[in-house]
Amino acid sequence: MGPVSLLPKYQKLSTWKGDLNKMTHLQAGLSPETIEKARLELNENPDVLHQDIQQVRDMIITRPDIGFLRTDDAFILRFLRARKFHQADAFRLLAQYFQYRQLNLDMFKNFKADDPGIKRALIDGFPGVLENRDHYGRKILLLFAANWDQSRNSFTDILRAILLSLEVLIEDPELQINGFILIIDWSNFSFKQASKLTPSILKLAIEGLQDSFPARFGGVHFVNQPWYIHALYTLIKPFLKDKTRKRIFLHGNNLNSLHQLIHPEFLPSEFGGTLPPYDMGTWARTLLGPDYSDENDYTHTSYNAMHVKHTSSNLERECSPKPMKRSQSVVEAGTLKHEEKGENENTQPLLALD
C-alpha cells in the first residue's frame, strides 16, 4: 500500500519540477533577497506561478469590450505583483490598463520618446530619475514643479513622459517587486501655475497612475509645498481610494521628516541629501540615447521592447545645461525646525498610488 500511495506524489513532484523549470525564466536576474521579498510581501510562489498567470489570462474573455494587446506571461506577472497576487485584482488592473489607453487614444498616439511633446518634457526633467535606488531597492523619481513652462509643455505631455518612463522602468523585474518613490518639489511653484491643475487633468493623472498602471508606489513626498497645493487636495480627494490616502506625505520645509523615510545618502542636495545636484538631462540622455537626432528610430511602447538606434546627431546640444528653477531645499540635515502641532498635521499622508 505504501508504494501505491506514494506513486502519485512522485508524479506530482515531477510535474511540479517541470513547471518550475519552465517558469524560472520569469525570476531570472532577481537577487535571492528580492525573490524572498516577493514571497513574503507579494505572496509570489514559484510553485504556482504558471497557474496564477493562467487564471488571470482566463479572465480576459469576460471583457470582450477591451482589446488586450499583450497577454504574455512576463506582462501579466507585473500586474500580479502590483496586486500582491490577488488574481481578480490583478485582472481588474490589467483591464483598466488597456481601457485607459482605449479611452485616451490621443495620449498614446506616437507614444515614444522622440514624440515632440514627450521629448520636450523629458529634456525639461519630467520626470527626473535617480541612478541609484534607495535602501529598499526602490527607484526614486523626481519632479521639480516650478520647471513646468506652460508655454512649452502641456500637462498631458508631462503625464505622457512620466507614463512612458514608467513603461521603460517597469521592464525591470526588481522594480516590479521593490517599486518606486516619487518626490515632488514645489519650490517657486506659482499660484498661476497651480491654477492650470484643473480637476479634469488631475483626474486623468490619478486614473493613469493609481488605477491603470502596474507599479508599486511606496510613497509620494511633497516638499516645500505652498498653501494652494494643500487646497488642491480637496479637488483630488473624490478621485482617491481609501488606501491611496496613506502614501503622500506633505513635508513642507521639514526635510528631517523626509530623511526619516529616505536616507540622505540616496538624495541629491536639493533635498538635503549628500549626492550632487540633480542634472535635469540625465534621464533624457538615458532614454533618448547620447546621439539622438530627428532620424532616431526609437520605438518603445507599452507593447514592445525598447529599441534605440544611434545616429550621428548630438543630444548633448538639446540636453545641455540651461537655466532652470531649482529647489530652495538645499539645507544641512538637522537645521530645520520641528513643526508645531498644527503644522505637523500637514506631514500626515494624504494620498498614495498603488
Side-chain angles (χ1 to χ4, degrees), residues 28 70 122 131 141 153 165 175 180 187 191 235 249 309:
R70 184 175 169 187
L122 290 170
E131 181 179 355
L141 279 63
N153 293 311
S165 298
L175 294 181
F180 300 87
S187 298
F191 185 86
L235 295 178
F249 297 88
K309 183 186 293 183

Side-chain angles (χ1 to χ4, degrees), residues 1-15:
M1 183 172 178
V4 174
S5 62
L6 287 175
L7 184 57
K9 294 183 180 179
Y10 286 134
Q11 290 174 338
K12 278 186 176 181
L13 180 61
S14 176
T15 302

Side-chain angles (χ1 to χ4, degrees), residues 96-104 107-108 204 208 212:
Q96 290 169 334
Y97 173 92
F98 286 114
Q99 186 175 46
Y100 183 77
R101 281 146 181 75
Q102 286 182 194
L103 295 175
N104 301 284
M107 281 183 60
F108 296 95
L204 183 70
S212 308

Side-chain angles (χ1 to χ4, degrees), residues 225-244:
Q225 71 279 359
W227 66 266
Y228 38 86
I229 295 303
H230 290 264
L232 281 176
Y233 175 63
T234 62
L235 295 178
I236 65 175
K237 187 175 181 180
F239 310 137
L240 302 178
K241 300 174 180 177
D242 289 339
K243 182 179 180 181
T244 296

Side-chain angles (χ1 to χ4, degrees), residues 97 100-101 107-108 159 163 166 202-214:
Y97 173 92
Y100 183 77
R101 281 146 181 75
M107 281 183 60
F108 296 95
L159 178 59
L163 287 171
L166 287 171
L202 290 172
K203 183 173 183 288
L204 183 70
I206 292 168
E207 289 175 346
L209 294 168
Q210 172 192 256
D211 303 325
S212 308
F213 197 83

